[in-house]
Amino acid sequence: MSDPDRPRGRARAAAVLGVGALGLALTITAGATLLPPAQPRSTAGTVSGPVVLAEAPASASGLAQAVNGLQARLKRLPRDHQAWASLGAAYVQQARITADPSYYVKADEALDRAAALAPMDFAVLTGQAALAAGRHEFTKAVRLARRAVAANPYGSAAYGVLTDAHTQLGDYPEAAEAVERMMELKPGVASFTRASYDAELRGDTTAARELLEAALRDAFTPEDVAYCRYYLGELALRAGDLERADQMYDAALRSTPDFVPALAGRARAAALGGRLDEAATGYAAVVARLPLAQYIVEYGEVLTSLGRDPGDQWALLRAQKQLMAANGVRDDLTWAEFEADHGSPGAAVRHAEAEYARNPNMVAADALAWALHKAGRSRDALPYARKATARGWHNALSIYHRGMIEKALGTSSSRSFSQVKLYNPRFSPKLPALARFS
Amino acid sequence: MISLVLAAVVAAHPLGNFTVNHYNGLEVRPGQVVNTAVVDYAELPTLQAKTTVDTDGSGTASPRENAAYAASTCAALARAQRLVVDGKAVSWQVGPASLEYAPGQGGLATSRLTCPLSAPVATTSSVAFSDSFLGERIGWREITAVSEGVRLAPSGVPSVSTSDRLRKYPDDLLASPLDQRSVTLRVAGTAPAAAPAPRGPSLSGLSVGGPIGDALAALDRTFTGLIGASSLTVPLGLLAVLLAVVLGAGHALIPGHGKTIMAAYLAGRRGRPRDALVVGATVTATHTAGVLVVGLVISAFSSLAGESVLSWLGLASGLLIAVVGVRLLWSAARGRGLGHGHGHGHGHGHGHGHGHGHGHGHGHGHGQEERQGHERAGLIGLGIAGGLVPSPSALIVLLGAAALGRTWFGVALVGAYGLGMAATLTATGLLLVKLATRLDRLAAARKGMAGRIAGLAPLGTATMVVVLGAGLAVRSLAGAL
Amino acid sequence: MELRINRRSLIVLGIVGALSASSLTLLRPDTGGASSHREAPLIAGDPRNDNTDVYAFVSPDKPDSVTLMANWIPFEEPAGGPNFYTFDTQSRYNIKIDSNGNGLPDVTYQWTFRNEDRRGNSTFLYNNGPVTSLDDENLLFRQRYTLKKFTAQQGWTTVIKNGVVAPSNVGAASMPDYARLRAQSIQKLPGGGQTFAGQADEAFFLDLRVFDLLYGGDLSEVGQDTTKGYNVHSIAIQVPKDEVAFKGDAKRNPVIGIWSTTEKWSPNGYRQVSRLGNPLVNEVVIPAGLKDTFNSISPDKDASIPAVVKRVTEPELPKLIEGIYKIPAPKTPRTDLVEIFLTGIAKANGPIKADLNSQILNKDVDPKAFRPSEMLRLNMAIPPTASPNRLGVLAGDLQGFPNGRRLGDDVLDISLQAVEGAAQTGKLVDALAAGDKVNANDKPFQARFPYIPLPSAVAVNQR
């Protein structure tokens, strides 16, 4: 109790302890620094509610806004089947604009909800038809669209799906009939662009251009404006007018600066104009943004023309094929065309036959003809080449293919080759993918 | 077969094979802005990057190539992000970047890039952030924002990632993929936050509900608010110091802080009033030192999360208690088994590591003296354990004061806070000592059962201290990892 | 024992079945747009051709004339630049009048528009400095219009050749005195009257969420003006009553039916894409599946489509309200609603004991040629009141909806009351007296033609 040493000892102890605590704290802090920071465990904190937008009808604003409005409405009214159907159709449209296939899954689910509430409703059937067409299930799309038409004979959108699906199935007269009816019911960008394609497939490029110009006058959203300008560019490009094509692509980019098809169009025009380096740079940017098979093949062909190795692009393409196989998707057309031009003709024939069996349209006929020719079966190819060119479509690539087949068979090919020159004086057989109509 | 198919399907990237998805986790702290940027590349973009990663063209990406790619991509990401603090553009400093691969669909891989970014800048009014990295590619874009030591006005972005930082994308039909590319965070006043980032259980202990808890919480807010008062006058400063004492006292009342352990210790060792004072003083000293050190360290190291430091300190505290408990147990067992007076010369072996010197060679009373020395070391250990984990509000006060250039004021407040804590703990200790003495007398008066129990007390309490210490350590460990 | 094995194997079978079913659904293709096929837009936004509202009333400041007005382009966001909302230059905008009740127009006013664009490719701006008058040099973009009139006797005549559309209101900095621009845009008509075309405030006030009822919602969330703050494009005309009355005699034949249509250009001629008479017609009269049909046909065909009539005689709304509010739905068939929406109110037409606004009341009309049709009907003989009631006819104010429609008529509350039978019983349903809880427009109406408030220049979400 009276130990004189004790206070001193205690002070010393406290000092040593203080230093010890400091050191310990430092050591532990250092340890914590080296380890990854812990995840926040609590969700308490700012709870931000969803941003509720004014509910505007789909017609008044862009697609994204329409989707927002529909989502807000459906959170309030989950039993509004028309809203579910509109949301499904809007997701299909978004998949088309963004090339993001995950929207198809969402569209499917939304349309399932709509169908559970009202299976025979025309809006539900139209949405389901549009989704089927988006997924390349054209026979199913026709079936659903017909039911939608029966439910609402004045609904223009169902005729739009009918037009698309018939075109892909090679039923051109039915497609023309459907688009005519669509234009009756609702003149505007949706029907004019389809009528333009119909005219183009008949070889009436003047009507095709005029209808696209009418569609452009009618287009309201920037995306639709860009779409019309882009296809005006494509029409010019396929006719060899690269300058006008460039102007149109630029115009498309003015209305929608990140419109990838127009960026690809510019690269295409550069390549066909002989500016291959510029084209390669352009395609590199396009593929970095949106690695669609079509862009990858075009890029690969430009690289080949430049004497560079397209191996990376072909690897990317094969990866796409693996992914699609894993997703249960068949894309025989792309592979038929690719294998015929750059790979194995035997594989090309298999793909082309599969594609033609499903969708016997002119593009598939051309792919099959070219694959058979490349596989040394030019005689078998000729009927398909004729079919691909019979309706007068100004498709220089198909006619070039026909000419090559005729030449191989020793029959007269001069008419075909002169048509190629006539339709597209800038056609380059070295860049076949760039001449493909899409 | 079916499970194989399921596995293959489940592995598909939920947002599509084309996507590049972005997450930015912003955190505003008093002296810096931190961003944990994560980029999730689906199968195709991962493949597209492959030739860039594989610089030697070997066909595979070596760890070194991955690291180099991660570093250069994070640098590019940092350049593509715009950070404007209080109206001035600030550039990010890139921490250690990492790139990980995960198996994806079709035999391909997906990849995940993590870039820890920080900018050593104090925020007084606003943080504007925008991310244009790979802005043209489709994908999910998410931003979260939290703050520590700074109070933010509602910004419209959540504090918690809805995608678990791009690991799990919500599957909601009525939600479009997030497309949050920019955010402006505004500091709400200059006051530090009363409720900063969420933290682990080891830190706050149990929260106190009811009117007392509410009153304490209100007091807490007032206190942390005082730091930011636009003009600091002498009366206001004194009021703040007083409040800090009250708050510290109140804080120590909340369960935790080794009060149970202290109680067990004092009860088991038949402590004296002086012992209670020792514990109180040690707690104050350790707490004040701890807050200062942790505060210093947190503001010096950018990538450090405060909560993780606190968890580790909690672990240390638990371990320390356990050590004290083991010592107690040991001496209790020895005391019972060997009786008194045999302790000569054994003192050396115990005290090391704690560095307390005790008088040697003092002849008589040696054993008792030594026991007292042990006891004090144990008490101080408990005090340290009780004060080692800084109180969050004290830490906020210090960091807030430092951010406002009032560091010394902050230190004073922290000191006052510790004083308050010490007062409560000492008072509790004194109460316990009194209680223990009564019990002791009771036991001495009635031999038999009660007496035997009292005799067993040291062993029981020692075991309890070990168990509690170990429990605390385990809980903190769970929080730290 | 055997039973147990069986049960277990059944469970296993069930699990396997469920798994394979789920794996099949998971295996459904979820990509499809991979190969190139041309995909044109399917649902194109077309607000410029979207009719929103029709108004018709005896002019309060000129009781010898009638004012007809129709609006287009719903939900115009005032801060819509740099590409501001315009009339479609490819379309024809019509206001049609049927004065003999046969469902066919006897008088048609038709506006067509053209652009005067001096912006070139150098700027997207609407103006490059303050615009103080309609012919201001700084106004880089304006629309002009031609107004034609059709009557059976005279055919088509051009009334106005070069009218100017009141521009979009781009804010006080650009247009310091917008009221002056509005005043300058009003054109006098030869033979009396005036016309206006241009941007205006969305004068319709309602909470659209009332119709959540139709989709399983209730009336719990109302009271917010859905259209507040938005603008529209408005076309108005004020003419002497005799000009639109049957046989040019508004004394003997005071009732007219009014509707507006939009016709779009197509390579095969103009096509009607939108039509509007009574307000809320899609909610109350036309089933969703017939909306496209209704928009395409002329009123004389309405009665030939049984579904339209059935929707009016067997309305859905009262049944839903009964389900929620226990207000008994009036007995069907609802001939009173047929009067309000399809024939006009006259003792000869149905149970409502009043002669108000059916063309059949016109003295020179052949009753045999009368056809029920959906249009807004106005008896021009009823003089304007100094103190209009928002509930119109139902509150005893015969100058208001459903006798024509004034800007201040609360057509939503009136329609709700009407479907609950208030027109037939003559008593308002108290339980629904609050209606959508939006009782007036946010901006006051003007005292003179075109009455509709000036357009807002403030973004909706900044209000």
Side-chain angles (χ1 to χ4, degrees), chain B residues 2 24 41 46 49 53 84 103-104 109 129-130 138 154 200-201 208 255 289 312 361 369 403 473:
Chain B
I2 286 162
N24 287 293
Y41 296 84
T46 299
V53 180
V84 179
F129 172 80
S130 64
I138 52 176
V208 177
W312 285 100
E369 191 69 14

Side-chain angles (χ1 to χ4, degrees), chain A residues 281-305:
Chain A
T281 314
Y283 276 120
V286 167
V287 169
R289 281 177 185 220
L290 194 61
L292 286 183
Q294 174 196 351
Y295 301 147
I296 297 171
V297 178
E298 290 180 36
Y299 186 23
E301 286 181 0
V302 167
L303 289 175
T304 311
S305 295

Side-chain angles (χ1 to χ4, degrees), chain B residues 255-267 382 428 432 464-465 468:
Chain B
H257 304 103
K259 275 189 299 295
T260 332
I261 294 158
M262 184 176 77
Y265 191 93
L266 289 174
L382 283 183
T428 319
L432 283 166
M464 201 167 132
V465 170
L468 282 172

Side-chain angles (χ1 to χ4, degrees), chain A residues 1 3 5-6 9-10 12-14 16-18 21-22 24-26 28-33 35-46 48 67-68 70-71 74-75 84 87 91 94 98-103 105-107 109-110 113 258 287-292 312 315-316 319-320 322-323 326-327, chain B residues 12 14-19 43-44 47-48 51 105-108 136-138 145 154 156-160 164-165 167 171-177 198-201 272 274 278 286 289 293-294 297 301 303-305 307-309 311-313 316 354-357 362 369 372 376 380 384 388 478-481:
Chain A
M1 265 311 192
D3 191 341
D5 263 337
R6 193 180 279 157
R10 193 189 287 162
R12 254 174 72 194
V16 172
L17 272 170
L22 216 79
L24 192 67
L26 272 171
I28 285 164
T29 312
T33 323
L35 283 154
Q39 289 283 318
R41 274 169 299 263
S42 158
T43 52
T46 349
S48 62
V67 167
N68 277 334
L70 287 166
Q71 287 172 343
L74 285 164
K75 274 177 195 146
W84 280 115
L87 184 66
Y91 282 147
Q94 272 187 329
T98 62
D100 181 350
S102 64
Y103 280 112
V105 181
K106 287 194 149 202
E109 290 171 26
R113 295 284 296 267
D258 51 359
V287 169
R289 281 177 185 220
L290 194 61
L292 286 183
D312 283 351
L316 195 57
Q320 291 242 31
Q322 279 164 261
L323 285 171
N327 280 319
Chain B
L15 288 184
N17 311 126
F18 284 57
T19 55
E43 287 87 348
L44 284 175
L47 183 71
Q48 283 177 293
T51 44
Q105 228 184 353
L108 299 163
E136 66 284 349
R137 284 201 80 132
I138 52 176
V157 301
S159 58
V160 176
D164 187 17
R165 301 186 178 192
R167 285 189 190 89
D171 186 21
D172 183 0
L173 258 189
L174 293 183
S176 298
R199 51 189 48 150
R272 294 159 300 171
R274 179 180 296 187
V278 169
T286 322
V293 170
V294 171
V297 167
F301 296 97
S303 59
L304 198 61
E307 67 211 61
S308 129
V309 175
S311 290
W312 285 100
L313 283 174
H354 288 284
H356 66 286
H362 276 276
E369 191 69 14
Q372 273 178 3
R376 202 169 305 121
I380 290 172
I384 289 173
L388 192 59
L481 292 180

Side-chain angles (χ1 to χ4, degrees), chain C residues 106-107 109 149-159 243:
Chain C
D106 300 302
V107 180
Y109 295 100
K149 180 187 173 187
F150 174 85
T151 61
Q153 296 78 32
Q154 293 168 305
W156 286 102
T157 51
T158 300
V159 185
E243 199 174 295

